[in-house]
Structures are given as C-alpha cells and as structure tokens.
Amino acid sequence: MKVIGITGGVGCGKSTVLELIEKNFNAFVIKADDVGKTVLDKGTAGYKNVMELFGEEILLDSGEIDRNRLADIDFHDKKKLMVLNSIVHPLVKKTIVEEMARIRCTDRYDFFIVEAALLLEDHYEVFCDEVWYIYADEKTRKRRLVESRGYSEEKIQGIMKNQLQEEEFRKRCDRIVDNSRTEGETLNQLKKMLVVD
C-alpha cells in the first residue's frame, strides 16, 4: 500500500482531487480536518486539555465543545491559537498514523491518501511515500473561493498570505497535480500517477 500525502493552498481544489481518487481508484482517503473534529470529542484527551486551557465558556449545553466559539477565541488570541494547535495537531497526526497501520493490516487498498493543509509544516512527509501538491492558478483559486464559500477578496488575500507560497510547495513536494482546468483533465493526470505496481 502506497501512502500519498496531499496538500496545497486554499482554493486549489484538494477536495475535488480526493473525490476523484475515491471514486476511481482503490484508495482509502483520510482528511486531517475531519480527524481534528474527532480529537476534541467529549471525553477524549484533546477535550480535557482544551477545557483546561479555555474553561467552560467554550461549551455547548450538551457539554460538547462549541467549535464556532473556539474558532472565534483563536482568531483574536494568537497565543491561545498556538497552544490549541500544540494540543490538536499531534493528536491528529497520531490518529492518522494509527489509522494507516490499521488499514495496512486489512490489505484491502492500493493507496492510503492523507490530506492536510499543514502537511508540510507538520512533517507528514516522514510517513508518506510521496507528497503531492495540488496546484491551481491564483485567478482560479479566487474565483472558486468566491463562488463556493462567498469569501471576500480581503479574506482570500489574508488566508493566502498565511499559507506556504507556491515555490515552497513545488520545492518540497514530489509531484504536482494541476487542478486549474476540468475534472476530466485532473483525472487523466491522476490515472498516470496512481499506477499499481
């Protein structure tokens, strides 16, 4: 089973690429964002650590963490955001590595695909056979973010400024998937790259 890390900037279409892979190849796909939600579930170590940091003000009536309130606090307090990331990111990575080991034992899949926005920053490449950069030109990325998420130009610029730049992605990734055009063109690239030995 080949392990492939997928990364890229906001609006590059990582989700589209993952959907194409899931539909067309014998691949298990896992997203760091999805795992990040589970590591803060009530009763987990992540939940307890975040509660110690933020207190009960971030809880819903059900006792679960109010993720919107948590995100709002983080947005206004960079130090708390750093501490929160130091709690959540290692738990996410550990969970993904454990899931990879479990999936490997099933011997069901040819590929294990892990997607993480901070894949390079959090050094996921240490357990990936390859790291792929999902690329789209800036104009396409901006159009997608306006159409799909309703983002303003200012918000888009702010997010892009805080992410790795294209040169860094190209330098640190093994392969590039150009996702600027049609899904068909992207799928054709994937067919050439996801070849079972």
Side-chain angles (χ1 to χ4, degrees):
M1 183 178 77
K2 191 172 192 177
V3 180
I4 298 169
I6 301 268
T7 192
V10 66
C12 285
K14 295 183 294 295
S15 295
T16 300
V17 171
L18 293 176
E19 285 173 25
L20 288 170
I21 290 171
E22 274 189 305
K23 286 179 190 170
N24 296 283
F25 302 93
N26 183 29
F28 182 90
V29 174
I30 191 166
K31 300 178 186 178
D33 275 355
D34 292 344
V35 175
K37 292 169 187 163
T38 66
V39 300
L40 294 181
D41 284 347
K42 192 174 178 181
T44 63
Y47 177 92
K48 291 171 190 162
N49 290 335
V50 169
M51 278 295 298
E52 286 175 21
L53 176 64
F54 292 99
E56 293 188 7
E57 68 182 81
I58 60 160
L59 294 183
L60 296 164
D61 291 339
S62 64
E64 293 288 343
I65 291 173
D66 183 337
R67 293 169 200 281
N68 291 331
R69 205 173 301 166
L70 188 62
D72 193 47
I73 292 169
D74 294 341
F75 186 74
H76 295 98
D77 189 331
K78 298 296 182 203
K79 286 182 184 174
K80 282 189 176 177
L81 176 60
M82 283 177 59
V83 176
L84 178 67
N85 287 343
S86 74
I87 294 169
V88 174
H89 292 181
L91 290 171
V92 169
K93 194 173 181 181
K94 179 178 182 282
T95 303
I96 289 172
V97 169
E98 288 168 354
E99 186 68 356
M100 181 178 66
R102 187 186 72 74
I103 293 297
R104 192 181 296 273
C105 290
T106 68
D107 207 26
R108 269 184 60 199
Y109 296 96
D110 296 316
F111 305 100
F112 183 90
I113 311 291
V114 55
E115 183 272 325
L118 300 176
L119 189 127
L120 297 172
E121 295 90 328
D122 284 345
H123 299 289
Y124 280 61
E125 73 275 7
V126 298
F127 60 80
C128 292
D129 297 308
E130 291 182 359
V131 175
W132 293 5
Y133 168 42
I134 309 306
Y135 164 81
D137 61 79
E138 192 171 311
K139 184 179 173 185
T140 301
R141 291 169 66 190
K142 287 180 177 180
R143 178 182 49 77
R144 287 176 181 164
L145 291 167
V146 169
E147 290 172 2
S148 67
R149 302 186 197 177
Y151 285 2
S152 66
E153 175 72 22
E154 184 182 22
K155 182 165 186 169
I156 294 168
Q157 289 295 351
I159 295 170
M160 287 182 171
K161 190 179 76 172
N162 287 318
Q163 294 186 328
L164 290 180
Q165 297 304 301
E166 184 184 335
E167 310 80 57
E168 190 68 16
F169 279 119
R170 287 181 178 275
K171 187 169 73 176
R172 294 176 64 186
C173 293
D174 301 299
R175 294 184 185 228
I176 298 164
V177 177
D178 186 343
N179 192 34
S180 298
R181 293 181 287 280
T182 68
E183 283 189 19
E185 288 172 287
T186 299
L187 180 58
N188 286 336
Q189 292 173 72
L190 295 174
K191 285 177 178 174
K192 291 173 185 168
M193 296 162 81
L194 290 170
V195 178
V196 181
D197 296 329

